[in-house]
Amino acid sequence: MTDTGPPEGDIDPREEAAAAVLWDESRRQITRQEAGLDSLRTRAVALLSVSSLVAGLFGGRFANIRSHEGYAKLAIVVALVTFTLSVVAVIVILTPKKKGWVFAQDLDQYFPLLSKGRLVPFDVTRNLAKHFEQSRKANAGPLEWRYCWFTAACVFTGLEVVAWGISII
């Protein structure tokens, strides 16, 4: 821990209360962010299931593409390409980050201070709030990109359904 701050008795109770509020809010935000990632991944798997089901239902009926009219052949190709793109988008969403997500904090720095009797609750609260906020910011960009990939997967799945529908008309 880099900042030891004033001795515990010298801390203004208002500052201590403010640090507690910041810690609580930062913890809530990082928890919501982690839950949002889990929810996004669950929805991506459900979307992949829908896309696969549609491809399986319609794709088997059109194994012999040569016997169809030109527009139907094109629609089948579009359906297969959009299915492939939706699978790729979902794989991007489900793939772990190379350096990992930051949802937990390293507490090792606090144990030596705790054993020496020099751990001040105010400092712990303040530092954890700061670390949670840094983690939230580090996770925000990659999480936002995964939402963009999810939007793309939804669009590709919708186009796939439309293309399969056109192919049977």
Side-chain angles (χ1 to χ4, degrees):
M1 182 164 47
T2 58
D3 189 4
T4 58
E8 189 171 2
D10 295 343
I11 298 171
D12 183 346
R14 292 176 298 180
E15 288 180 9
E16 196 166 358
V21 169
L22 286 174
W23 177 78
D24 191 47
E25 178 61 19
S26 62
R27 185 182 62 161
R28 184 186 67 77
Q29 287 180 2
I30 198 82
T31 301
R32 284 186 60 205
Q33 192 178 53
E34 185 176 20
L37 175 63
D38 290 341
S39 173
L40 178 65
R41 287 178 168 166
T42 300
R43 288 182 284 160
V45 169
L47 184 65
L48 179 61
S49 298
V50 168
S51 187
S52 299
L53 182 64
V54 169
L57 286 173
F58 290 107
R61 297 173 65 193
F62 297 102
N64 187 0
I65 197 169
R66 287 176 273 217
S67 65
H68 299 288
E69 296 181 30
Y71 76 90
K73 289 179 187 178
L74 178 62
I76 292 169
V77 169
V78 168
L80 293 174
V81 167
T82 54
F83 170 69
T84 303
L85 292 173
S86 69
V87 169
V88 168
V90 169
I91 288 172
V92 169
I93 294 167
L94 298 178
T95 303
K97 270 179 48 175
K98 192 172 186 176
K99 292 186 178 181
W101 297 94
V102 186
F103 292 116
Q105 303 307 312
D106 182 14
L107 302 177
D108 286 340
Q109 62 182 333
Y110 298 106
F111 294 116
L113 293 172
L114 181 63
S115 65
K116 292 177 184 176
R118 295 183 51 215
L119 191 62
V120 180
F122 173 77
D123 294 332
V124 174
T125 303
R126 181 185 58 213
N127 288 331
L128 285 177
K130 183 171 58 172
H131 290 292
F132 278 143
E133 179 61 14
Q134 290 168 347
S135 298
R136 187 193 63 76
K137 287 179 180 178
N139 293 334
L143 184 58
E144 186 62 34
W145 274 108
R146 279 165 175 76
Y147 277 107
C148 292
W149 278 102
F150 182 74
T151 300
C154 289
V155 169
F156 293 141
T157 300
L159 292 173
E160 175 194 356
V161 170
V162 169
W164 283 121
I166 289 172
S167 71
I168 62 171
I169 295 177

